[in-house]
Amino acid sequence: MQRLASLDVYRGIVMFLLGLRLLELDEVAVHFPQSGVWQFIGFHSAHVPWVGCSLNDLIHPSFAFLTGASLVFSVSSRASKGDSKLKMTLHALWRSLALIFLGIFLRSQTRDMTNWTFEETLTQTGLGYMVVFALTFAGPKWRWSCFAGFLVLHWLIYVLYPVMPPHASPGDWNIPEEWQHDFEGFYAHWNHNRNAGWALDVWLLNLFPRPSPYVGYLGGYATINFIPTISTMILGLIAGTWLKSRDQASKRLSMAGLICLPVSLAMHFGGMCPIVKHLWTPSWVFWSGGCCLLVLAALYQLVDVKQHRRWAWLFIVIGMNSLAFYLMRHTLDLWLAETLELHLGKRYLMMLGPEMETIMTGVPSLLFLLLVVVWMDRRKLYLRL
């Protein structure tokens, strides 16, 4: 089966955006408050505090969406080689567990003991992977029913949990200083570290050994985000099926994306639930899913239909080794920064002024990661699970 380059390009773009975080452009933008350009770059280089969406916020949902889309081709390829369902199921189980524990490993770096937490991108993907794998053998009705079912389940969990009053000492519950993004009324069910997901984690994560009791995640993420993340992966699974059939794939992807966006806005402004990526609300699933569908539709039309691929060479290389790039990005970042300062000195880092120090560290660090994946591609070395 011919490999769809658009999936690799999309995956590569997502990883490249993740790599750009090494430059900490949002921190640079703080030094230029009067510059509209820098404020725009800074906004899209960081997560929004609570409600809304930036370009950086689309990295995780794109990763989940592409996991679902790629499963269609992975299962089809294994079936064509004669693999039984049992063999594929055991491999999927291995991949699920590997993703879960890789995420825990990444979150445990620089810690004195294992940091048992389940909000990391890989872990969240692994927690829902087996469900999405099972749905590769199901028809459209089952897929759409599960897509909707997981969203309704997640919504009910939050809605049925009582609204909590503000904490007496917000700092004791890992709420950022000067936090001003709380909701009132019905939307208070989705307030930062005062919601059903947070309450579940206070119970669950304290069952594991910890240096101190878990009181809340600073970013407000929750373990049960994996439930609606499954819906995001199912949306990718459906998109992958359309791509595989090649039957009006661009039109289907575009139409689905254009439906998802207004549905999300209707849910947000209609009083159903807010668009909050940190809690992966149903309205966030529709918003991010709509963006993913439209991006994939555009890339498929450009790269696979019209065969315009020269511009995307580097993204294809990164996309074919996305797991390797992801792991290097999260394990070598501090080492690269320290090594650059050690060998080039503070004078090099301050060459463009103290405001640009993170850029002077981030650019060569990103180039190093890119050179490694290019080297791996030249030697046909690909990290797979």
Side-chain angles (χ1 to χ4, degrees), residues 296-317:
L296 184 56
L299 290 175
Y300 173 71
Q301 187 67 26
L302 182 65
V303 176
D304 288 311
V305 176
K306 296 190 175 181
Q307 295 288 306
H308 297 315
R309 299 188 179 186
R310 281 191 173 184
W311 67 274
W313 167 78
L314 181 59
F315 295 130
I316 292 175
V317 170

Side-chain angles (χ1 to χ4, degrees), residues 313-380:
W313 167 78
L314 181 59
F315 295 130
I316 292 175
V317 170
I318 302 171
M320 292 179 68
N321 238 330
S322 57
L323 183 58
F325 187 91
Y326 186 93
L327 292 176
M328 288 191 296
R329 159 65 181 85
H330 286 290
T331 55
L332 300 181
D333 51 349
L334 293 177
W335 176 79
L336 286 168
E338 293 170 356
T339 301
L340 285 167
E341 183 173 356
L342 174 66
H343 295 292
L344 299 180
K346 203 70 175 177
R347 186 175 180 181
Y348 159 77
L349 298 179
M350 297 298 172
M351 189 181 298
L352 298 180
E355 302 87 356
M356 300 289 185
E357 181 179 354
T358 58
I359 292 181
M360 298 303 293
T361 301
V363 168
S365 298
L366 178 57
L367 286 175
F368 175 82
L369 299 183
L370 294 176
L371 287 172
V372 171
V373 292
V374 170
W375 175 84
M376 293 177 71
D377 182 69
R378 292 287 178 87
R379 284 155 182 76
K380 307 300 179 185

Side-chain angles (χ1 to χ4, degrees), residues 66 88 121 127 166 175 184 186 191 202 283 294 327 336 340 359:
L66 289 168
M88 287 190 282
T121 299
L127 287 171
I175 295 175
E184 294 182 355
F186 180 68
N191 276 337
V202 169
S283 52
L294 292 175
L327 292 176
L336 286 168
L340 285 167
I359 292 181

